[in-house]
Amino acid sequence: MFERTDDQQALADAAREFCVATLGPSAREDDEREVFNIDFVRQMGEMGFCGIPTPEEYGGMGLGYVEYCIVLEEIAKVSSAYAVTVAVTGLPQVILNMYGTDTQKQRWLPGLAAGELLGAFALSEPESGSDAASLKSTAVLEGDEYVLNGTKFWITHGGVADIYIVMARTGGPGAKGVSAFIVPGDAAGLSFGRKEEKMGMRASPTVEVVMESVRVPVSDRIGPEGFGFKVAMAALDSGRITIGASAVGLSQAALEYSARYATERKQFKTQIIDFQGVGFMLADMACRIETSRLLVEKAAWLKDNGRPFSNAAAMAKLVSTDSAMLVTTDAVQVLGGNGYTREHPVERYMRDAKVMQIVEGTNQIQRIVLARHLKRTYSRG
Ligand code: CAA
């Protein structure tokens, strides 16, 4: 676990080379102009990056989350927006892999894994973010179809995705009334509202998704009725590992850039890294990143080995994204006035880090998950 295999290192090298050459040249401009380039998805798909843990029989690489995280780290070092794209298009895949019928898998997984199709995950609503079980979208059974109505909010890939996994209410209030559905991007009655203007992660589109009498055949429900909340939570457990890996990559990029700068920049005739105020900041950044990477790798390893990993994923997401915020903020500080300008990427890193503390469950939600586990573990009687 502490040393990569030759195959893992080769995968990391290939990912780094690809990302620097392909995503790197326009990363700053894509952020500034809020451009999402679907060709990058196709190219990442050709490299195998869009379906790393999807089984080979369904067109994926059939590798583990450890390998998935290795690649995500490399993508995020260059563009955290496209790391999030790979993570989010992975959510329908992890759901179909776990709960899909063979027909559902055959229909969607090969395209998603190849990057020919793009996936999205539609849980949040205007009034239901952290309290996901209070969602209001409805799915009413009429004959052999469900009719879906409602509005989904903050949907990554809204308007560009080919498949949405939508959570909607088929029963009474609370988690047990929620079911999960496959909704194709071109379904009649599906439309797209506001595209959010964001602080960071600006190349990644975040869009309102509106469902007006969208008809979904019963065969496109995932799992039984009332199982949708568990589908969403289980997907997010896996997704949180991928957000953690992306945060590690983003942090690593911030460290490498600011450490190099600190060896080149001189003040008072001294390389600024030799001032303890700067050198210690960089040392703390390196420690935070290493801690985060170990937690992310452990969560990925637990998942790959069929062990419970829900708490490990929450811990990895929490620590690595809080660390990313600290690390990228300090990277700006190391560069001083230069760090605050768009001439250097560290201000983008800092803006991108912020949303990682929010997506796939805020870090307060991760603490709730962990605190509940501690209560269950240590309650007497
Ligand atoms: N895996 C499987 N099942 C789970 C689970 C998990 N990790 N966590 C909970 N469940 C099950 C519970 O066992 C329970 O089922 P039973 O009653 O049969 O035991 C059921 O789900 C309800 O669980 P809770 O009572 O714990 O539910 P809750 O309402 O208290 O909520 C929560 C728990 C952890 C706070 C949850 O609501 C949550 O994670 N909220 C955050 C939502 C979130 O992460 N949203 C992000 C959306 S996606 C995104 O960010 C952007 C994007 O584009 C991808």
Side-chain angles (χ1 to χ4, degrees):
M1 186 170 170
F2 294 113
E3 196 174 59
R4 287 178 179 170
T5 64
D6 289 346
D7 285 349
Q8 288 171 341
Q9 192 54 49
L11 187 64
D13 293 344
R16 185 176 317 118
E17 201 177 310
F18 168 85
C19 293
V20 169
T22 308
L23 306 179
S26 64
R28 175 182 160 183
E29 203 182 321
D30 289 347
D31 170 73
E32 276 182 13
R33 294 177 46 222
E34 300 189 331
V35 171
F36 176 68
N37 188 343
I38 195 77
D39 281 346
F40 288 162
V41 178
R42 308 283 183 252
Q43 290 176 58
M44 289 193 291
E46 279 169 21
M47 294 291 293
F49 300 161
C50 293
I52 292 168
T54 292
E56 284 177 289
E57 64 172 311
Y58 294 114
M61 287 179 99
L63 298 173
Y65 265 62
V66 170
E67 286 78 14
Y68 194 7
C69 289
I70 286 172
V71 170
L72 281 168
E73 185 176 334
E74 293 301 332
I75 300 173
K77 271 162 84 174
V78 178
S79 167
S80 44
Y82 286 100
V84 163
T85 276
V86 168
V88 170
T89 203
L91 284 177
Q93 294 181 67
V94 73
I95 288 171
L96 292 172
N97 276 323
M98 280 191 292
Y99 305 115
T101 62
D102 195 51
T103 310
Q104 291 169 344
K105 290 181 190 176
Q106 297 282 5
R107 166 70 186 89
W108 293 105
L109 285 178
L112 286 166
E116 288 158 7
L117 301 177
L118 191 63
F121 177 79
L123 174 67
S124 303
E125 298 184 357
E127 290 169 37
S128 153
S130 292
D131 184 8
S134 70
L135 63 85
K136 291 199 174 88
S137 290
T138 53
V140 176
L141 189 59
E142 281 184 13
D144 58 0
E145 288 180 331
Y146 286 92
V147 182
L148 271 63
N149 281 286
T151 300
K152 294 292 179 180
F153 234 39
W154 303 303
I155 305 306
T156 304
H157 303 156
V160 282
D162 300 284
I163 169 178
Y164 297 79
I165 303 290
V166 173
M167 268 49 73
R169 192 163 296 287
T170 48
K176 288 188 167 51
V178 176
S179 300
F181 299 92
I182 297 170
V183 177
D186 59 1
L190 195 66
S191 63
F192 305 99
R194 193 175 76 206
K195 181 180 178 211
E196 302 298 341
E197 294 175 5
K198 294 176 299 182
M199 172 197 286
M201 215 67 94
R202 288 158 55 84
S204 168
T206 306
V207 174
E208 180 183 12
V209 175
V210 180
M211 299 176 292
E212 290 169 300
S213 299
V214 175
R215 303 190 84 84
V216 176
V218 170
S219 57
D220 278 351
R221 193 187 63 220
I222 298 171
E225 263 200 17
F227 192 64
F229 192 75
K230 290 195 185 198
V231 169
M233 290 299 111
L236 286 169
D237 281 346
S238 298
R240 286 165 186 166
I241 301 175
T242 67
I243 298 299
S246 305
V248 170
L250 176 65
S251 304
Q252 183 67 34
L255 174 67
E256 288 176 10
Y257 197 92
S258 53
R260 201 165 295 126
Y261 180 94
T263 62
E264 289 163 3
R265 174 83 170 167
K266 283 188 177 170
Q267 291 291 281
F268 308 99
K269 300 191 178 95
T270 306
Q271 290 171 296
I272 62 170
I273 198 168
D274 287 331
F275 293 115
Q276 281 193 350
V278 174
F280 283 14
M281 219 182 327
L282 290 163
D284 286 344
M285 288 157 76
C287 292
R288 288 198 168 99
I289 296 168
E290 198 57 20
T291 310
S292 302
R293 188 178 285 115
L294 288 170
L295 286 173
V296 169
E297 280 182 8
K298 179 168 179 199
W301 183 89
L302 289 170
K303 178 172 167 64
D304 289 345
N305 286 277
R307 312 274 179 90
F309 66 95
S310 188
N311 293 308
M315 203 179 283
K317 195 271 182 186
L318 166 62
V319 171
S320 61
T321 62
D322 276 356
S323 292
M325 196 67 246
L326 291 167
V327 166
T328 56
T329 304
D330 281 351
V332 170
Q333 192 68 21
V334 169
L335 269 75
N338 281 325
Y340 200 64
T341 72
R342 293 197 180 177
E343 284 305 301
H344 298 270
V346 287
E347 62 82 30
R348 170 164 59 90
Y349 300 156
M350 185 177 160
R351 289 185 286 107
D352 285 354
K354 185 63 216 170
V355 80
M356 292 185 173
Q357 295 178 298
I358 298 169
V359 285
E360 303 214 7
T362 64
N363 284 359
Q364 287 67 35
I365 289 294
Q366 310 311 319
R367 289 180 171 91
I368 286 175
V369 170
L370 294 166
R372 285 181 179 178
H373 174 70
L374 291 171
K375 185 176 174 191
R376 280 193 301 276
T377 307
Y378 294 107
S379 287
R380 289 178 198 274

